[in-house]
Amino acid sequence: MNEYRLTEEEYSRILALKRDLHMHPETAGKEIRTTEKIREMLLEIPGVELLPFENPLGTGLVVRIRGSEEGPETALRADIDALPQNEEYESEWKSRVPGVMHACGHDFHAASLVGAAMILSRAAADGALRGTADLIFQPAEEGTRGAAALIEGGLFDVIRPDRIFGIHNWPSVRSGDVVVHEGPLMAGKRNFTITVFGQGGHGSMPHLNIDPIVCAAAVIQSLQTVISRNMNPMDAVLLSVNRIEGGRKANVVAGQVEMSGTVRSLSDRALDRAIERIEAIVKGTAEAYECRHRIDWERRIPAVSNRAEMCVYARKAAAAAAGAECVTDAEPSLASEDFALYGAAGIPSFFYWVGSTPPGEKAEHLHRPCFHTDDSAMKTAAALYAASVLQIS
Ligand code: NI
């Protein structure tokens, strides 16, 4: 198994790809150049077959590497999109696109999966790959629409994986270490927009108006009680209103107020209950203030949860890729990941974190303007993707 790691030459190729993607980041659903660069490099690898899958977003790609006839079909997923924010970290490969940055390391994931294709191609040629590997380069993870688009666009008519593995780089973990966590790892979430409708008018005549700003303030205050009064303190639940907009002038009562936020939990049951309470509180508060209201819920993303039987494979693969001494555990996060939707579609799934902060540096967390990765950890990530296929095939 140990020979199935990146050679120095392969590593230098994926490093060049990663830095090229980093310099030319593209946001969710717009990963046209990114897709092309990944495709170009994949098609140079012997035995990589481009699958005829057109996802509705028009970006990303799925390829296959065939081993022997007998054996399981294993899918590996990397996301490829960047974020709409400015990069502040100085490097030769700093983003050349103002206002767009790979601040979540999806360039690291994509290049690592290309590295895995190189390793799996060699394994297939050696007769060491039993079954099939499907490599999914998924667009639009940010905003969590990509996985849904692929699944609804018929991904599982084209591939039929027995298992699926994904990786996220994780800055707070020592570079090159692999987190194999059993149970919920990343939160289920539902984002929402609440609109409170009042009756606008001159600020001097409150008796003729219905003020939605006062109502919105009461809604936000009351929503704080969902966590403090309705949740089991042993469950991790988060509820935040992160945007509020309404009104334009000092002397005019606004006609409506719009608020957006997110509710998240590692527990699906707690998330159900929080959603139920949000609906009741908004309805009741709006009525109390004589306002009308509307709640627009975005698609629910389930928690990323690693089941015990998948942990057995994952631990084996992680030990083969990184060495048993580098397999570790970590506290779960309330960040969410649309990788959860592959599991929700019934495919046994496992999600790893790979440590990515350069040794000796303080971790710059995901989505920060100075986020950057220790690129040598891509050697671990590429070997880990490959081992997830080879260790169980
Ligand atoms: Ni990410």
Side-chain angles (χ1 to χ4, degrees):
M1 177 60 215
N2 277 342
E3 69 269 35
Y4 294 120
R5 314 179 64 80
L6 289 176
T7 64
E8 281 307 313
E9 192 267 334
E10 287 168 341
Y11 174 64
S12 65
R13 283 163 67 198
I14 69 159
L15 182 62
L17 173 66
K18 193 261 183 187
R19 291 182 173 172
D20 179 66
L21 298 182
H22 197 88
M23 282 191 281
H24 303 95
E26 294 171 307
T27 55
K30 297 185 182 146
E31 310 91 336
I32 295 165
R33 181 185 182 281
T34 305
T35 302
E36 200 40 50
K37 290 287 161 189
I38 294 169
R39 189 200 324 264
E40 276 172 18
M41 193 166 283
L42 285 169
L43 292 180
E44 289 170 7
I45 304 170
V48 171
E49 180 189 332
L50 193 59
L51 294 182
F53 173 64
E54 294 286 330
N55 91 67
L57 295 175
T59 52
L61 68 163
V62 184
V63 300
R64 171 167 285 173
I65 300 170
R66 290 177 200 270
S68 60
E69 291 278 309
E70 290 288 301
E73 181 174 343
T74 307
L76 304 172
R77 175 274 209 173
D79 43 15
I80 64 172
D81 54 324
L83 281 156
Q85 66 183 71
N86 260 320
E87 175 156 35
E88 290 175 15
Y89 186 71
E90 293 299 331
S91 69
E92 275 170 51
W93 48 90
K94 184 176 179 178
S95 171
R96 304 286 196 264
V97 186
V100 186
M101 171 194 179
H102 269 292
C104 204
H106 297 184
D107 48 352
F108 174 112
H109 306 156
S112 298
L113 189 54
V114 172
M118 294 170 178
I119 299 172
L120 290 169
S121 161
R122 282 192 279 112
D126 295 349
L129 172 59
R130 276 189 64 245
T132 303
D134 301 323
L135 280 54
I136 303 165
F137 293 86
Q138 183 207 299
E141 195 287 322
E142 303 294 352
T144 50
R145 6 182 225 117
L150 264 60
I151 294 166
E152 283 159 16
L155 175 68
F156 294 131
D157 298 333
V158 178
I159 64 171
R160 284 293 181 85
D162 299 298
R163 299 177 191 90
I164 184 165
F165 294 86
I167 294 178
H168 209 292
N169 79 94
W170 211 254
S172 59
V173 173
R174 188 176 69 172
S175 181
D177 278 5
V178 179
V179 173
V180 175
H181 182 82
E182 187 178 325
L185 179 69
M186 300 180 76
K189 77 160 181 194
R190 203 148 186 211
N191 292 346
F192 55 82
T193 296
I194 299 166
T195 311
V196 176
F197 303 95
Q199 173 70 57
H202 199 283
S204 65
M205 302 167 192
H207 56 299
L208 301 181
N209 306 323
I210 298 172
D211 186 350
I213 288 187
V214 175
C215 177
V219 165
I220 293 172
Q221 287 293 342
S222 304
L223 287 177
Q224 308 310 310
T225 65
V226 174
I227 305 297
S228 66
R229 300 294 84 196
N230 303 133
M231 294 295 121
N232 180 339
M234 304 312 286
D235 282 331
V237 192
L238 176 149
L239 169 56
S240 298
V241 175
N242 292 321
R243 182 184 74 90
I244 178 162
E245 252 178 84
R248 279 206 306 273
K249 289 193 160 180
N251 65 339
V252 177
V253 169
Q256 67 183 64
V257 175
E258 213 179 84
M259 300 166 263
S260 301
T262 188
V263 58
R264 292 157 182 253
S265 180
L266 294 171
S267 149
D268 285 334
R269 183 181 35 79
L271 189 54
D272 286 343
R273 174 71 175 137
I275 289 169
E276 182 184 291
R277 289 300 299 147
I278 290 168
E279 288 189 332
I281 286 171
V282 173
K283 181 170 185 286
T285 309
E287 274 172 14
Y289 286 79
E290 298 184 306
C291 288
R292 288 178 300 111
H293 78 282
R294 194 176 72 213
I295 307 180
D296 295 305
W297 289 101
E298 287 180 21
R299 177 193 299 274
R300 181 169 173 166
I301 302 296
V304 172
S305 194
N306 292 325
R307 295 223 304 264
E309 64 273 22
M310 290 297 290
C311 284
V312 176
Y313 295 126
R315 206 161 275 128
K316 235 172 107 183
E325 69 287 358
C326 293
V327 181
T328 183
D329 201 350
E331 289 277 299
S333 165
L334 289 186
S336 62
E337 237 296 343
D338 71 3
F339 180 79
L341 291 172
Y342 300 108
I347 317 288
S349 62
F350 192 90
F351 202 63
Y352 302 100
W353 289 343
V354 171
S356 59
T357 293
E361 291 188 25
K362 190 173 138 284
E364 281 288 348
H365 223 281
L366 306 172
H367 296 211
R368 287 207 184 145
C370 283
F371 169 81
H372 59 285
T373 52
D374 174 14
D375 291 336
S376 72
M378 291 195 297
K379 293 178 181 173
T380 304
L384 181 60
Y385 272 129
S388 300
V389 178
L390 297 172
Q391 284 292 315
I392 59 176
S393 70

